Coordinates of all heavy atoms in Angstrom, one line a residue:
M1 N 169.0 26.5 115.7 CA 167.7 27.1 115.9 C 167.9 28.6 115.9 O 168.6 29.2 116.6 CB 167.2 26.7 117.3 CG 165.7 26.7 117.5 SD 165.2 26.3 119.2 CE 164.9 24.6 119.0
S2 N 167.2 29.3 114.9 CA 167.5 30.7 114.7 C 166.2 31.6 115.0 O 166.3 32.8 115.1 CB 167.9 31.0 113.3 OG 167.0 30.6 112.4
A3 N 165.1 31.0 115.2 CA 163.9 31.7 115.4 C 163.6 31.7 116.9 O 164.0 30.8 117.6 CB 162.7 31.1 114.7
P4 N 162.8 32.7 117.4 CA 162.4 32.7 118.8 C 161.6 31.4 119.1 O 160.8 31.0 118.3 CB 161.6 33.9 119.0 CG 162.0 34.8 117.9 CD 162.4 33.9 116.8
F5 N 161.8 30.9 120.3 CA 161.0 29.7 120.6 C 160.4 29.7 122.0 O 159.6 28.9 122.4 CB 161.9 28.4 120.5 CG 163.2 28.5 121.4 CD1 163.2 28.1 122.7 CD2 164.3 29.1 120.8 CE1 164.3 28.2 123.4 CE2 165.5 29.2 121.5 CZ 165.5 28.7 122.8
I6 N 160.7 30.8 122.8 CA 160.1 31.0 124.1 C 159.0 32.0 123.9 O 159.2 33.1 123.5 CB 161.2 31.5 125.1 CG1 162.3 30.4 125.3 CG2 160.5 31.8 126.5 CD1 163.5 30.9 126.1
T7 N 157.8 31.6 124.3 CA 156.7 32.5 124.1 C 156.6 33.5 125.2 O 157.1 33.3 126.4 CB 155.3 31.7 124.1 OG1 155.1 31.1 125.3 CG2 155.3 30.7 123.0
D8 N 156.0 34.7 124.9 CA 155.8 35.7 125.9 C 155.0 35.2 127.0 O 155.3 35.4 128.2 CB 155.2 36.9 125.2 CG 155.0 38.1 126.1 OD1 156.0 38.4 126.9 OD2 154.0 38.8 126.0
N9 N 154.0 34.4 126.7 CA 153.1 33.9 127.7 C 153.8 32.9 128.7 O 153.6 33.0 129.9 CB 151.9 33.1 127.1 CG 150.9 32.7 128.0 OD1 151.0 31.8 128.8 ND2 149.8 33.5 128.0
L10 N 154.7 32.1 128.2 CA 155.4 31.2 129.1 C 156.4 32.0 130.0 O 156.4 31.7 131.2 CB 156.2 30.1 128.3 CG 157.2 29.2 129.1 CD1 156.4 28.4 130.1 CD2 158.0 28.3 128.1
L11 N 157.1 32.9 129.4 CA 158.0 33.7 130.2 C 157.2 34.5 131.3 O 157.6 34.6 132.4 CB 158.8 34.7 129.3 CG 159.9 35.5 130.0 CD1 160.9 34.5 130.7 CD2 160.6 36.4 129.0
L12 N 156.1 35.1 130.9 CA 155.3 35.8 131.9 C 154.8 34.9 133.1 O 154.8 35.2 134.2 CB 154.0 36.4 131.3 CG 154.3 37.6 130.4 CD1 153.0 38.0 129.6 CD2 154.9 38.8 131.2
R13 N 154.4 33.6 132.7 CA 154.0 32.7 133.8 C 155.2 32.3 134.7 O 155.0 32.2 135.9 CB 153.4 31.4 133.1 CG 152.1 31.6 132.4 CD 151.4 30.4 132.0 NE 152.2 29.3 131.5 CZ 152.3 29.0 130.2 NH1 151.7 29.6 129.3 NH2 153.1 28.0 129.8
C14 N 156.3 32.1 134.1 CA 157.5 31.8 134.9 C 157.9 33.0 135.8 O 158.3 32.8 137.0 CB 158.7 31.4 134.0 SG 158.5 29.8 133.2
R15 N 157.8 34.2 135.2 CA 158.2 35.4 136.0 C 157.2 35.6 137.2 O 157.6 35.9 138.3 CB 158.1 36.7 135.2 CG 159.2 36.8 134.2 CD 159.0 38.0 133.3 NE 160.2 38.2 132.4 CZ 160.2 38.9 131.3 NH1 159.1 39.4 130.9 NH2 161.3 39.0 130.6
R16 N 155.9 35.3 136.9 CA 154.9 35.4 138.0 C 155.2 34.4 139.1 O 155.1 34.7 140.3 CB 153.5 35.2 137.4 CG 152.4 35.4 138.4 CD 151.0 35.3 137.8 NE 150.8 34.1 136.9 CZ 150.6 34.2 135.6 NH1 150.5 35.4 135.0 NH2 150.4 33.1 134.9
E17 N 155.5 33.2 138.7 CA 155.8 32.2 139.7 C 157.0 32.5 140.5 O 157.0 32.3 141.7 CB 155.9 30.8 139.0 CG 156.4 29.7 139.9 CD 155.6 29.5 141.2 OE1 154.4 29.8 141.1 OE2 156.1 28.9 142.1
Q18 N 158.0 33.1 139.9 CA 159.2 33.4 140.6 C 158.9 34.5 141.6 O 159.4 34.4 142.8 CB 160.3 33.9 139.6 CG 161.6 34.2 140.3 CD 162.6 34.7 139.3 OE1 162.3 35.4 138.3 NE2 163.9 34.4 139.5
R19 N 158.1 35.5 141.3 CA 157.7 36.5 142.2 C 156.9 35.9 143.4 O 157.2 36.3 144.5 CB 156.8 37.6 141.5 CG 157.6 38.6 140.7 CD 156.8 39.8 140.3 NE 155.6 39.4 139.6 CZ 155.5 39.2 138.2 NH1 156.6 39.4 137.5 NH2 154.4 38.9 137.6
V20 N 156.0 35.0 143.1 CA 155.2 34.4 144.2 C 156.2 33.6 145.1 O 156.0 33.7 146.3 CB 154.2 33.5 143.6 CG1 153.6 32.6 144.6 CG2 153.1 34.3 142.9
Q21 N 157.1 32.9 144.5 CA 158.0 32.1 145.4 C 158.9 33.0 146.2 O 159.2 32.7 147.4 CB 158.9 31.2 144.5 CG 158.1 30.0 143.9 CD 157.5 29.2 144.9 OE1 158.1 28.9 146.0 NE2 156.3 28.7 144.7
Q22 N 159.3 34.1 145.7 CA 160.2 35.1 146.4 C 159.4 35.7 147.6 O 159.9 36.0 148.6 CB 160.8 36.1 145.5 CG 161.8 35.6 144.6 CD 162.3 36.6 143.5 OE1 161.6 37.6 143.3 NE2 163.4 36.3 142.9
E23 N 158.1 36.0 147.3 CA 157.2 36.6 148.3 C 156.9 35.7 149.4 O 156.7 36.0 150.6 CB 156.0 37.2 147.7 CG 156.2 38.3 146.7 CD 155.0 38.7 145.9 OE1 153.9 38.1 146.1 OE2 155.1 39.6 145.1
R24 N 156.7 34.4 149.1 CA 156.3 33.4 150.1 C 157.3 32.2 150.1 O 157.0 31.2 149.5 CB 154.9 32.9 149.7 CG 153.9 34.0 149.6 CD 152.6 33.4 149.2 NE 151.6 34.5 149.0 CZ 150.5 34.3 148.3 NH1 150.2 33.2 147.8 NH2 149.7 35.3 148.2
N25 N 158.3 32.4 150.8 CA 159.4 31.4 150.8 C 158.9 30.0 151.3 O 159.4 29.0 150.8 CB 160.5 31.8 151.7 CG 161.4 32.8 151.1 OD1 161.5 32.9 149.9 ND2 162.2 33.5 151.9
R26 N 157.9 30.0 152.1 CA 157.4 28.7 152.6 C 156.2 28.1 151.9 O 155.6 27.1 152.3 CB 157.1 28.8 154.1 CG 158.3 29.1 154.9 CD 158.0 29.2 156.4 NE 159.3 29.2 157.0 CZ 159.6 28.4 158.0 NH1 158.8 27.5 158.4 NH2 160.8 28.4 158.6
Q27 N 155.8 28.8 150.9 CA 154.7 28.4 150.1 C 155.0 27.0 149.4 O 156.1 26.8 148.9 CB 154.3 29.4 149.0 CG 153.2 29.0 148.1 CD 153.0 30.0 147.0 OE1 153.5 31.1 147.1 NE2 152.3 29.7 146.0
S28 N 154.0 26.1 149.4 CA 154.2 24.9 148.7 C 154.2 25.1 147.2 O 153.6 26.1 146.7 CB 153.1 23.8 149.1 OG 151.9 24.3 148.7
F29 N 154.9 24.3 146.5 CA 155.0 24.5 145.0 C 153.7 24.2 144.4 O 153.0 23.3 144.7 CB 156.1 23.5 144.5 CG 157.5 24.0 144.7 CD1 158.3 23.3 145.7 CD2 158.0 25.1 144.1 CE1 159.5 23.7 145.9 CE2 159.3 25.5 144.4 CZ 160.0 24.9 145.3
D30 N 153.4 25.0 143.4 CA 152.2 24.8 142.5 C 152.7 23.9 141.3 O 153.5 24.3 140.6 CB 151.8 26.2 142.0 CG 150.7 26.1 141.0 OD1 150.1 25.0 140.8 OD2 150.3 27.2 140.5
P31 N 152.1 22.7 141.2 CA 152.5 21.8 140.1 C 152.4 22.5 138.7 O 153.3 22.2 137.9 CB 151.5 20.7 140.2 CG 151.0 20.7 141.6 CD 151.0 22.2 142.0
A32 N 151.4 23.4 138.5 CA 151.3 24.0 137.2 C 152.5 24.9 137.0 O 153.1 24.9 135.9 CB 150.0 24.8 137.1
A33 N 153.0 25.6 138.0 CA 154.1 26.5 137.9 C 155.4 25.7 137.7 O 156.3 26.1 136.9 CB 154.2 27.4 139.1
I34 N 155.5 24.6 138.3 CA 156.7 23.7 138.2 C 156.7 23.3 136.7 O 157.8 23.2 136.1 CB 156.6 22.6 139.1 CG1 156.9 23.1 140.6 CG2 157.7 21.5 138.8 CD1 156.7 22.0 141.6
N35 N 155.6 22.9 136.2 CA 155.5 22.5 134.8 C 155.9 23.6 133.8 O 156.5 23.3 132.8 CB 154.1 21.9 134.4 CG 153.8 20.6 135.1 OD1 154.8 19.8 135.4 ND2 152.6 20.3 135.3
D36 N 155.6 24.8 134.1 CA 156.0 25.9 133.3 C 157.5 26.1 133.2 O 158.1 26.2 132.2 CB 155.4 27.3 133.8 CG 153.9 27.4 133.5 OD1 153.3 26.6 132.7 OD2 153.2 28.2 134.2
R37 N 158.1 26.0 134.4 CA 159.6 26.1 134.5 C 160.2 24.9 133.8 O 161.2 25.0 133.1 CB 160.1 26.2 135.9 CG 159.8 27.6 136.5 CD 160.6 27.7 137.7 NE 160.2 29.0 138.4 CZ 160.9 29.5 139.3 NH1 161.9 29.0 139.8 NH2 160.5 30.7 139.9
K38 N 159.6 23.7 133.9 CA 160.1 22.5 133.3 C 160.0 22.7 131.7 O 161.0 22.4 131.0 CB 159.3 21.3 133.7 CG 159.9 20.0 133.1 CD 159.1 18.8 133.7 CE 159.6 17.5 133.1 NZ 159.0 16.4 133.6
E39 N 158.9 23.3 131.3 CA 158.8 23.5 129.8 C 159.8 24.5 129.4 O 160.5 24.3 128.3 CB 157.4 24.1 129.6 CG 157.1 24.4 128.1 CD 155.8 25.0 127.8 OE1 154.9 25.0 128.7 OE2 155.6 25.4 126.7
L40 N 160.1 25.6 130.1 CA 161.1 26.5 129.8 C 162.5 25.9 129.7 O 163.2 26.0 128.8 CB 161.1 27.7 130.8 CG 162.1 28.8 130.5 CD1 161.9 29.5 129.2 CD2 162.1 29.8 131.7
S41 N 162.8 25.1 130.7 CA 164.0 24.4 130.8 C 164.2 23.5 129.6 O 165.3 23.4 129.0 CB 164.1 23.6 132.1 OG 165.4 23.0 132.2
L42 N 163.2 22.7 129.3 CA 163.3 21.8 128.1 C 163.6 22.5 126.8 O 164.4 22.1 126.0 CB 162.1 20.9 128.1 CG 161.9 19.9 129.2 CD1 160.5 19.2 129.1 CD2 163.0 18.8 129.1
L43 N 162.9 23.6 126.6 CA 163.1 24.4 125.4 C 164.5 25.0 125.4 O 165.2 24.9 124.3 CB 162.1 25.6 125.4 CG 160.7 25.3 125.1 CD1 159.8 26.5 125.4 CD2 160.5 24.8 123.7
V44 N 165.0 25.5 126.5 CA 166.4 26.0 126.5 C 167.4 24.9 126.4 O 168.4 25.0 125.6 CB 166.6 26.8 127.8 CG1 168.1 27.2 128.0 CG2 165.8 28.0 127.8
E45 N 167.2 23.7 127.0 CA 168.1 22.6 126.8 C 168.1 22.1 125.4 O 169.2 21.8 124.9 CB 167.6 21.4 127.7 CG 167.9 21.6 129.2 CD 167.3 20.5 130.0 OE1 167.0 19.4 129.5 OE2 167.2 20.7 131.2
Q46 N 167.0 22.1 124.7 CA 167.0 21.8 123.3 C 167.8 22.8 122.5 O 168.6 22.4 121.6 CB 165.6 21.7 122.7 CG 165.6 21.3 121.3 CD 166.2 19.9 121.0 OE1 165.8 18.9 121.7 NE2 167.1 19.8 120.1
A47 N 167.7 24.1 122.8 CA 168.5 25.1 122.1 C 170.0 24.9 122.3 O 170.8 25.0 121.4 CB 168.0 26.5 122.5
L48 N 170.3 24.6 123.6 CA 171.7 24.4 123.9 C 172.2 23.1 123.2 O 173.4 23.2 122.6 CB 171.9 24.2 125.4 CG 171.6 25.4 126.3 CD1 171.8 25.0 127.8 CD2 172.5 26.5 126.0
A49 N 171.4 22.1 123.1 CA 171.8 20.9 122.4 C 172.0 21.2 120.9 O 172.8 20.5 120.2 CB 170.8 19.8 122.6
D50 N 171.3 22.2 120.4 CA 171.4 22.6 119.0 C 172.5 23.6 118.7 O 172.6 24.0 117.6 CB 170.0 23.1 118.5 CG 168.9 22.1 118.4 OD1 169.3 20.9 118.4 OD2 167.7 22.5 118.3
G51 N 173.3 23.9 119.7 CA 174.4 24.8 119.5 C 174.3 26.2 120.0 O 175.2 27.0 119.9
D52 N 173.1 26.5 120.6 CA 172.9 27.9 121.1 C 173.6 28.0 122.5 O 174.0 27.1 123.1 CB 171.5 28.2 121.2 CG 170.8 28.5 119.9 OD1 171.4 29.3 119.1 OD2 169.7 28.0 119.6
D53 N 173.6 29.3 122.9 CA 174.0 29.6 124.3 C 173.0 30.6 124.9 O 172.2 31.1 124.1 CB 175.5 30.1 124.4 CG 175.7 31.3 123.6 OD1 174.8 32.0 123.2 OD2 176.9 31.6 123.3
Y54 N 173.1 30.9 126.2 CA 172.2 31.8 126.8 C 172.2 33.2 126.0 O 171.1 33.7 125.8 CB 172.5 32.0 128.2 CG 171.9 31.0 129.2 CD1 171.4 29.8 128.8 CD2 171.8 31.3 130.5 CE1 170.9 28.9 129.6 CE2 171.3 30.4 131.4 CZ 170.8 29.2 131.0 OH 170.3 28.2 131.9
A55 N 173.3 33.6 125.6 CA 173.4 34.9 124.9 C 172.6 34.9 123.6 O 171.9 35.9 123.3 CB 174.8 35.3 124.7
S56 N 172.7 33.9 122.9 CA 172.0 33.8 121.6 C 170.5 33.6 121.8 O 169.7 34.2 121.1 CB 172.6 32.7 120.7 OG 172.4 31.4 121.2
I57 N 170.1 32.9 122.9 CA 168.7 32.7 123.2 C 168.1 34.1 123.6 O 167.1 34.4 123.1 CB 168.6 31.7 124.3 CG1 169.0 30.3 123.8 CG2 167.1 31.7 124.9 CD1 169.1 29.2 124.9
V58 N 168.8 34.8 124.4 CA 168.3 36.1 124.8 C 168.2 37.0 123.6 O 167.3 37.8 123.5 CB 169.3 36.7 125.9 CG1 169.1 38.2 126.1 CG2 169.1 35.9 127.2
S59 N 169.2 37.0 122.8 CA 169.2 37.9 121.6 C 168.0 37.6 120.7 O 167.4 38.6 120.2 CB 170.5 37.6 120.8 OG 170.5 38.3 119.6
R60 N 167.5 36.4 120.6 CA 166.4 36.1 119.8 C 165.1 36.4 120.5 O 164.0 36.3 119.9 CB 166.4 34.6 119.4 CG 167.4 34.3 118.3 CD 167.0 33.1 117.6 NE 166.7 32.0 118.4 CZ 167.5 31.1 118.9 NH1 168.8 31.2 118.7 NH2 167.1 30.1 119.7
H61 N 165.1 36.7 121.8 CA 163.9 37.0 122.5 C 163.9 38.4 123.1 O 163.3 38.6 124.2 CB 163.7 35.9 123.6 CG 163.5 34.5 123.1 ND1 164.5 33.7 122.7 CD2 162.4 33.9 122.8 CE1 164.0 32.6 122.2 NE2 162.7 32.7 122.3
R62 N 164.5 39.3 122.4 CA 164.4 40.7 122.9 C 163.0 41.3 123.0 O 162.8 42.1 123.9 CB 165.3 41.6 122.0 CG 166.7 41.4 122.1 CD 167.5 42.4 121.4 NE 168.9 42.1 121.5 CZ 169.8 41.9 120.5 NH1 169.3 42.1 119.3 NH2 171.0 41.7 120.7
D63 N 162.2 40.8 122.2 CA 160.8 41.3 122.1 C 160.0 41.0 123.4 O 159.0 41.7 123.7 CB 160.0 40.8 120.9 CG 159.9 39.3 120.9 OD1 160.9 38.6 121.2 OD2 158.8 38.8 120.5
I64 N 160.5 40.0 124.2 CA 159.8 39.7 125.5 C 160.7 40.1 126.7 O 160.4 39.7 127.8 CB 159.3 38.2 125.5 CG1 160.5 37.2 125.4 CG2 158.2 38.0 124.5 CD1 160.1 35.8 125.6
A65 N 161.8 40.8 126.4 CA 162.7 41.3 127.4 C 163.3 40.3 128.3 O 163.5 40.4 129.5 CB 161.9 42.4 128.3
L66 N 163.6 39.1 127.7 CA 164.3 38.1 128.4 C 165.8 38.4 128.6 O 166.4 39.0 127.6 CB 164.2 36.8 127.6 CG 164.9 35.5 128.1 CD1 164.3 35.1 129.4 CD2 164.9 34.4 127.1
T67 N 166.3 38.2 129.7 CA 167.7 38.5 130.0 C 168.4 37.2 130.4 O 167.8 36.2 130.9 CB 167.9 39.5 131.1 OG1 167.4 38.9 132.4 CG2 167.1 40.8 130.8
E68 N 169.8 37.2 130.3 CA 170.5 36.0 130.8 C 170.4 35.9 132.3 O 170.2 34.7 132.8 CB 172.0 36.2 130.5 CG 172.3 36.0 129.0 CD 173.8 36.0 128.7 OE1 174.5 35.2 129.3 OE2 174.2 36.8 127.9
A69 N 170.3 36.9 133.0 CA 170.2 36.9 134.5 C 168.8 36.2 134.8 O 168.7 35.4 135.8 CB 170.2 38.2 135.1
E70 N 167.8 36.5 134.1 CA 166.5 35.9 134.3 C 166.5 34.4 134.0 O 165.9 33.6 134.7 CB 165.4 36.7 133.5 CG 164.0 36.3 133.8 CD 163.0 37.2 133.2 OE1 163.2 37.7 132.1 OE2 162.0 37.4 133.9
L71 N 167.1 34.1 132.9 CA 167.3 32.6 132.6 C 167.9 31.9 133.8 O 167.5 30.8 134.2 CB 168.1 32.4 131.3 CG 167.3 32.5 130.0 CD1 168.2 32.3 128.8 CD2 166.2 31.5 129.9
I72 N 169.0 32.5 134.3 CA 169.7 31.9 135.4 C 168.8 31.7 136.6 O 168.7 30.7 137.3 CB 171.0 32.7 135.7 CG1 172.0 32.5 134.6 CG2 171.6 32.2 137.1 CD1 173.2 33.5 134.7
D73 N 168.0 32.8 136.9 CA 167.1 32.8 138.0 C 166.0 31.8 137.9 O 165.6 31.1 138.8 CB 166.5 34.2 138.3 CG 167.4 35.2 138.8 OD1 168.5 34.8 139.4 OD2 167.1 36.4 138.8
L74 N 165.5 31.6 136.6 CA 164.4 30.7 136.4 C 164.7 29.3 136.2 O 164.0 28.4 136.7 CB 163.6 31.2 135.1 CG 162.9 32.5 135.2 CD1 162.4 33.0 133.8 CD2 161.7 32.4 136.2
I75 N 165.9 29.0 135.6 CA 166.2 27.6 135.3 C 167.6 27.2 135.7 O 168.0 26.0 135.5 CB 165.9 27.2 133.8 CG1 166.7 28.0 132.9 CG2 164.4 27.3 133.5 CD1 166.6 27.6 131.4
G76 N 168.4 28.1 136.1 CA 169.7 27.8 136.6 C 170.8 28.2 135.6 O 170.5 28.6 134.5
P77 N 172.1 28.1 136.0 CA 173.2 28.5 135.2 C 173.3 27.7 133.9 O 173.0 26.5 133.9 CB 174.4 28.3 136.1 CG 173.9 28.1 137.5 CD 172.5 27.6 137.3
E78 N 173.7 28.3 132.9 CA 173.9 27.6 131.6 C 174.8 26.4 131.7 O 174.5 25.4 131.2 CB 174.5 28.6 130.5 CG 174.7 28.0 129.2 CD 175.3 29.0 128.2 OE1 175.2 30.2 128.4 OE2 175.9 28.5 127.2
Q79 N 175.9 26.5 132.5 CA 176.8 25.4 132.6 C 176.2 24.2 133.3 O 176.4 23.1 132.9 CB 178.1 25.8 133.3 CG 179.2 24.8 133.3 CD 179.6 24.4 131.8 OE1 179.9 25.3 131.0 NE2 179.6 23.2 131.5
A80 N 175.3 24.5 134.2 CA 174.6 23.4 134.9 C 173.7 22.6 133.9 O 173.6 21.4 133.9 CB 173.7 23.9 136.0
L81 N 173.0 23.3 133.0 CA 172.2 22.7 132.0 C 173.1 21.9 131.0 O 172.8 20.8 130.6 CB 171.3 23.7 131.2 CG 169.9 23.9 131.8 CD1 170.0 24.6 133.2 CD2 169.1 24.7 130.8
R82 N 174.2 22.5 130.6 CA 175.2 21.9 129.7 C 175.7 20.6 130.3 O 175.8 19.6 129.7 CB 176.3 22.8 129.3 CG 175.9 23.9 128.4 CD 177.1 24.7 127.8 NE 176.7 25.7 126.9 CZ 176.3 25.4 125.7 NH1 176.4 24.2 125.2 NH2 175.9 26.3 124.8
D83 N 176.0 20.7 131.6 CA 176.5 19.5 132.3 C 175.5 18.4 132.3 O 175.8 17.2 132.1 CB 176.9 19.8 133.7 CG 178.2 20.7 133.8 OD1 178.9 20.8 132.8 OD2 178.4 21.3 134.9
R84 N 174.3 18.7 132.5 CA 173.2 17.7 132.5 C 173.0 17.1 131.1 O 172.9 15.9 131.0 CB 171.9 18.3 133.0 CG 170.8 17.3 133.1 CD 169.5 17.8 133.9 NE 169.0 19.0 133.3 CZ 168.7 20.1 134.0 NH1 168.9 20.1 135.3 NH2 168.2 21.2 133.5
L85 N 173.1 18.0 130.1 CA 173.0 17.4 128.7 C 174.1 16.5 128.4 O 173.9 15.5 127.8 CB 172.9 18.6 127.8 CG 171.6 19.4 127.7 CD1 171.8 20.7 126.9 CD2 170.5 18.6 127.2
E86 N 175.3 16.9 128.8 CA 176.5 16.1 128.5 C 176.4 14.8 129.3 O 176.8 13.7 128.7 CB 177.7 16.9 129.0 CG 179.0 16.3 128.5 CD 180.2 17.2 128.8 OE1 180.2 18.4 128.2 OE2 181.0 16.8 129.6
R87 N 176.0 14.8 130.5 CA 175.8 13.6 131.3 C 174.9 12.6 130.6 O 175.1 11.4 130.7 CB 175.3 14.0 132.7 CG 175.4 12.9 133.7 CD 175.1 13.3 135.1 NE 174.1 14.3 135.3 CZ 174.3 15.5 135.7 NH1 175.5 16.0 136.0 NH2 173.3 16.4 135.9
F88 N 173.8 13.1 130.0 CA 172.9 12.3 129.3 C 173.1 12.1 127.8 O 172.3 11.6 127.1 CB 171.5 12.7 129.6 CG 171.1 12.6 131.0 CD1 171.0 13.8 131.8 CD2 170.8 11.4 131.6 CE1 170.6 13.7 133.2 CE2 170.4 11.3 132.9 CZ 170.4 12.4 133.7
G89 N 174.3 12.6 127.4 CA 174.7 12.4 126.0 C 173.9 13.1 125.0 O 173.7 12.7 123.9
Q90 N 173.3 14.3 125.4 CA 172.5 15.0 124.4 C 173.1 16.2 123.8 O 172.5 16.8 122.9 CB 171.2 15.5 125.2 CG 170.4 14.3 125.7 CD 169.3 14.7 126.6 OE1 169.3 15.8 127.2 NE2 168.2 13.9 126.7
L91 N 174.3 16.5 124.1 CA 175.0 17.6 123.5 C 175.7 17.1 122.2 O 176.2 16.0 122.2 CB 176.1 18.2 124.4 CG 175.7 19.4 125.3 CD1 176.8 19.9 126.1 CD2 175.1 20.5 124.5
H92 N 175.7 18.0 121.2 CA 176.3 17.6 119.9 C 177.8 17.9 119.9 O 178.2 18.8 120.5 CB 175.6 18.3 118.8 CG 174.1 18.1 118.7 ND1 173.6 17.0 117.9 CD2 173.1 18.6 119.3 CE1 172.3 17.0 118.0 NE2 172.0 18.0 118.8

């Protein structure tokens, strides 16, 4: 996968949800926000399965200011996603 695949809108929604969660630790989860993070995670998992890593994903998404640290904050460490893909036999 060589083209950007994470939209600015999705990243903005995830960033907004992360800020809300940090501001209100006891707030109940918003199902829509959970779905946004799930969508982001699935996109990144597909990229990892296709041979990408967080660095290459970030490189392709400079226009929306995505960082590796933000990916980790939003969906977890790269190795955790790789482990999950490997466990379910989805890594090439």
Side-chain angles (χ1 to χ4, degrees):
M1 206 182 264
S2 61
F5 55 90
I6 299 170
T7 65
D8 186 38
N9 189 285
L10 175 61
L11 186 58
L12 288 173
R13 292 190 320 255
C14 289
R15 287 173 175 163
R16 182 176 50 243
E17 172 57 21
Q18 184 179 33
R19 280 192 303 274
V20 167
Q21 289 301 320
Q22 289 171 345
E23 292 169 5
R24 301 177 187 165
N25 282 340
R26 295 182 168 233
Q27 175 183 346
S28 62
F29 285 108
D30 174 8
I34 291 171
N35 288 336
D36 289 341
R37 286 193 186 193
K38 184 176 180 179
E39 179 182 351
L40 178 64
S41 181
L42 290 172
L43 288 168
V44 171
E45 286 176 15
Q46 183 59 53
L48 294 176
D50 290 342
D52 283 313
D53 59 18
Y54 275 18
S56 64
I57 292 168
V58 165
S59 176
R60 285 202 315 270
H61 294 86
R62 286 189 182 125
D63 60 320
I64 58 173
L66 179 65
T67 67
E68 286 187 56
E70 189 168 37
L71 276 177
I72 292 167
D73 287 344
L74 291 170
I75 60 174
E78 179 179 342
Q79 191 57 51
L81 268 67
R82 287 189 178 284
D83 291 346
R84 184 168 54 231
L85 288 170
E86 193 172 294
R87 189 169 42 248
F88 294 105
Q90 297 172 334
L91 269 181
H92 300 270

